Each structure stands twice: as structure tokens, then as C-alpha cells.
Amino acid sequence: MKKLFSIMFNVSIILCFVACSSSEIPTDEEVSFAYKQAEEAYSWFDLTTMPIVDNSEIEYEGSTYLKVNHSSIKTFSDLETYLHSIFSDDIVNSLLEDNHYVDIDGVLYAMPADRGTNILAGEQNHEIIRENDKKIIYKVSVDILDDNLEKVVDKEIYSFAYEFSEKENRWLFTNFSLVW
């Protein structure tokens, strides 16, 4: 099962490169898929850590890191390339600047760090807004619940620009954060 998942993941990455690496306007399904990829990749920095190998601790520059256990991302270069296939340079640079992931002897290691999510965040609604042939807005509305988690008391709205980069010749998120 694990091998099948690995193969499916690698095929999905290839399909995303093919589907989203041209100036053709992506379908709603392709935009939704890109959002899910972006959400997962961003979470590796802002919510959790990529899967790691137990008992693989190594000290590096005064911090403890563990070896990453990912089917297709084995090196820091692999991680950087993958992030650049989803996000603009500014986002990638921002994610990588904190040394959460490092290359040690050609192998990707991570500094484990997990945090919780907002328990008051309720149902999410997603909307795709096509501004023009080069810019799509992926809008997420999140219901905010009361302290008893029973009633909606507010709503948070997030808007993420998914834009065609002439420089990269592909569609990328040019702003992004996790939705709570």
C-alpha cells in the first residue's frame, strides 16, 4: 500500500508539472489540486514537519535534526525544486530561511516542530475566482465557532493569488498561508 501511495504521489507531481507548466489556463480541478499541494507543502513549515525517520537524530549547528522520510523528496535541492513548482520565489525564500530543513551530506534533515490548529475553526468553503487569463484567486471562507463549538459567530476569509509566471512558465501561488 505504501509503495502504491508513493507511485501515485510521484505521478500526481508529474501531472501537476505537465498540467500547470504552460500558459494554458488551469481547470478548476487543477487549481483545487494545486491548492491542496500548496497547503500540504506549506504545512511542513508552519504546522508540522515532513515525515521523519525515528532514531535518526543528528546534531547540526547546535540543533537536533532527524532524517526526512519522503518518497520523492530526498535532498534539500529536491525540496527547493518542489516548493518552486508551487510557490513564487518570495514564498520559497521565506519558507527556507529559518533552517527548518537542512542538507547534511546530501540528505534532507528536518528540525521537528509541531503545533496545533485553531479548534474554533469550523466549516470551510472554497471558491475559485478567475480574474483574467493570468490570475486566479483561490478564496477560502472559514466559519469561526463559539467556545462551545456549536454556533458560528464569525467568518475569516483568505484569498490566495494563483498566477501565471512568465519567468517560470508555470502557474504559482504568489501569496499563501495556512487556513485555520
Side-chain angles (χ1 to χ4, degrees), residues 41-52 60 63-68 76 79 83 93-104 108-115:
Y42 204 92
S43 76
W44 295 337
F45 296 85
D46 198 35
L47 180 64
T48 189
T49 305
M50 294 175 75
I52 51 178
Y60 180 77
S63 296
T64 302
Y65 289 85
L66 283 94
K67 184 178 177 181
V68 169
F76 188 84
L79 176 61
L83 294 174
N93 293 338
S94 174
L95 291 172
L96 295 176
E97 74 184 0
D98 70 354
N99 293 328
H100 188 75
Y101 294 93
V102 296
D103 187 281
I104 302 174
L108 183 62
Y109 280 79
M111 185 185 314
D114 292 329
R115 68 173 181 79

Side-chain angles (χ1 to χ4, degrees), residues 13-60:
I13 289 174
I14 291 167
L15 289 174
C16 184
F17 278 123
V18 171
C20 302
S21 64
S22 70
S23 61
E24 288 186 31
I25 301 169
T27 64
D28 286 358
E29 292 78 20
E30 290 167 335
V31 174
S32 293
F33 181 77
Y35 173 78
K36 287 181 177 113
Q37 281 187 303
E39 184 179 45
E40 178 188 37
Y42 204 92
S43 76
W44 295 337
F45 296 85
D46 198 35
L47 180 64
T48 189
T49 305
M50 294 175 75
I52 51 178
V53 176
D54 290 333
N55 302 318
S56 65
E57 290 183 3
I58 189 168
E59 292 294 320
Y60 180 77

Side-chain angles (χ1 to χ4, degrees), residues 113-131:
D114 292 329
R115 68 173 181 79
T117 58
N118 183 351
I119 63 168
L120 300 179
E123 185 176 329
Q124 294 183 13
N125 293 301
H126 300 253
E127 181 182 1
I128 294 170
I129 302 164
R130 296 176 179 279
E131 286 200 352

